[in-house]
Amino acid sequence: MPSDGAKLAKGGRTFWFRDAIIYQIWPASFKDLNDDGMGDLQGIIASLDYIKSLGVNTLWLSPMYDSPQVDMGYDISDYQAIYPPYGTMDDMDALIRGCHDRGIKILLDLVINHTSDQHRWFKESRASKQSPKRDWYIWRPAKYDAEGKRHPPNNWRSNFNTPAWTWDEATQEYYLHLFCPEQPDLNWTHDECRRTIYQETMVYWLEKGVNGFRVDTVNMYSKPMDFPDAPVTDPGAETQPAGMVYCNGPMMHTYLKEMGEILERYDAMTVGELPNTPQTADVIRYVSAASNELSQVFQFDLVDLGRLPEDIMQGRPFELPEMKRTIDKWQRFTDGNDAWTTAFCENHDQARSISRFGSDKTPDDAVESGKLLALLNTSLSGTLYIYQGQEIGMTNVPKTWGIEEYLDVNSINYYKSVEERTGGDAKALARALSGINSYGRDNARTPVQWTSEANGGFSKTPSTKPWMRTNDNYTSINVAAQQGDEASVLNFYRRAIELRKRHAAVLAKGRFELVDVDDAKLFKFVKRSQGAGAGGEVAFVVLNFSGEEQAYQVPDEVVGGKVIANTRLDGGKPGVLRAWEGRIYLA
């Protein structure tokens, strides 16, 4: 990776995000201070000292805007108001101040591909074909077949397993929504619409003091406006997956450069959600410092490991060499250019990483694999992201939960689609439920487990029922139980983050080199700081992704180096790792 100094390309940009360690909060599930069963802004404010104690320096707050909550706040009805159960604008101002007083920067979610259908813009757009805001959204006439039957403009399927077009009876046209029907897509080709988006959703909050944005579905704003059909990859289905058609449209980079000019004035960072962009050269266009578009993006290859492309709620056990190649690709794609990358394995849209990539078969396995994944992520180059509960080793929900416990619209739609396709076949529905348990978003959205009291101490009063069922393992996995335990996942995260800061040149910004890619049990890699070999540092990371003891050899260049991190306190035997154990050597 090139040096930071080479990238101070323009104006007031300081590239502070390259040293950011970011903690993501899902407001509904973080902490309920007013005792109504729903997380709130005051609960976050009361927990800021805990957040700071982790060693993080940036907070990412998932949507807290006013919303009907069809998609947990990603359907925004007012960008300049707070969802009342979360609090007030005064609470939001206090949270921004509270973060800054502690030296913590704050990011908000920027959700501007679509709005809620309850947003005033869409209500006006929907009122009539003559509305001044009609073209702020994407409306198209129906198609009719030879029998006169009405059909949508094309065969696109939404991201939530429903048709991407909804018929509006009043105005006799379809509108596009790449997500729920209640999330109509904005028309970014309309100049006034686009300028208003920038002013009301970006400038407004930057003036309030936020330091940047996680940008939702960042490559979907520009669609091919002739709306071609997607290739048929799901034979027999009325709609087809269309992500490779509607992502990365012809005007994407123009729009992002417009946004970049605004962000630069505030030295604000962005991290974009960039699906359906597999080629590294295409990603570099988005995150090159010289292009002044996005600071960095999330690539989902890692969290998609094992998932079936034709049915993302189903999968197979991943193989460790797959993980290695995936991480290698996105660690090294910045070599020789001015781009930047990210390191993460959890967020609000993903199942818990211990259940996906480690083992939750026993409590001991969960603890050890939680620390193993912590060591992996804190050793990777790029901006580091940690999702709430990840730092205490929260896991997927029990496999015994019924479908009624899952609240996410994507999981509900998926289950219904299987039910409709199979006529309610019991085996098909059991398979669907198993898939939701493995990959569903609800796994990450259960309330944070603070204590062993009822409902994990999520609310002020333990008897208060939370909005969503707490994971059954809260009695053993919780913050209070781990605070004073040096062998806990929580305290390991604190040590690993501190180590990452102390050796940032090699761990957070060093060059990544895989070792023994085909080893199916051990994940080994070397990190080299800038100038390694001439006074720089070299680190060797070795991680046992298995439930059995594994032997390893230290590379010659690191022989004699010091073990600076071990997931187990007793240090173990040289050259041997126990189940789910990891170490870092430094020379």
Side-chain angles (χ1 to χ4, degrees), residues 21-59:
I21 300 172
I22 299 175
Y23 186 80
Q24 182 190 356
I25 286 180
W26 186 249
S29 298
F30 188 68
K31 192 169 184 61
D32 170 27
L33 205 68
N34 69 358
D35 216 24
D36 64 353
M38 179 72 70
D40 46 54
L41 297 179
Q42 283 295 332
I44 300 170
I45 293 168
S47 306
L48 285 176
D49 288 337
Y50 165 76
I51 293 167
K52 185 174 176 63
S53 79
L54 301 175
V56 303
N57 53 26
T58 307
L59 186 152

Side-chain angles (χ1 to χ4, degrees), residues 305-325:
L305 280 178
R307 298 176 84 156
L308 303 181
E310 69 275 14
D311 186 347
I312 61 171
M313 287 290 190
Q314 299 296 328
R316 53 171 176 73
F318 83 98
E319 297 179 355
L320 188 61
E322 292 179 288
M323 174 186 273
K324 296 179 190 180
R325 293 185 180 96

Side-chain angles (χ1 to χ4, degrees), residues 456-495:
F458 169 67
S459 296
K460 192 173 182 180
T461 304
S463 59
T464 300
K465 184 180 179 181
W467 73 278
M468 182 182 185
R469 181 175 170 179
T470 307
N471 194 319
D472 298 359
N473 60 18
Y474 69 83
T475 55
S476 57
I477 300 176
N478 61 72
V479 173
Q482 297 188 27
Q483 286 279 28
D485 180 2
E486 285 304 302
S488 68
V489 179
L490 174 59
N491 282 310
F492 185 80
Y493 258 103
R494 287 170 169 152
R495 294 193 296 273

Side-chain angles (χ1 to χ4, degrees), residues 341-418:
T341 192
T342 55
F344 77 102
C345 64
E346 287 192 21
N347 64 32
H348 61 289
D349 281 337
Q350 306 300 329
R352 290 291 184 176
S353 58
I354 288 174
S355 301
R356 288 286 312 282
F357 307 121
S359 171
D360 59 7
K361 290 181 180 178
T362 70
D364 284 346
D365 280 353
V367 169
E368 297 308 326
S369 54
K371 291 187 286 186
L372 183 82
L373 290 165
L375 193 63
L376 169 62
N377 279 283
T378 55
S379 303
L380 296 177
S381 294
T383 299
L384 176 65
Y385 290 80
I386 299 167
Y387 179 68
Q388 65 181 39
Q390 183 179 341
E391 81 276 13
I392 59 170
M394 286 179 64
T395 65
N396 277 6
V397 304
K399 296 182 184 301
T400 54
W401 281 19
I403 188 61
E404 70 278 358
E405 301 291 354
Y406 295 90
L407 305 181
D408 175 43
V409 63
N410 199 22
S411 295
I412 292 169
N413 285 353
Y414 175 77
Y415 191 84
K416 285 180 178 177
S417 71
V418 173

Side-chain angles (χ1 to χ4, degrees), residues 74-86:
Y74 284 94
D75 50 318
I76 297 171
S77 55
D78 190 338
Y79 290 97
Q80 298 181 4
I82 306 300
Y83 179 51
Y86 292 164

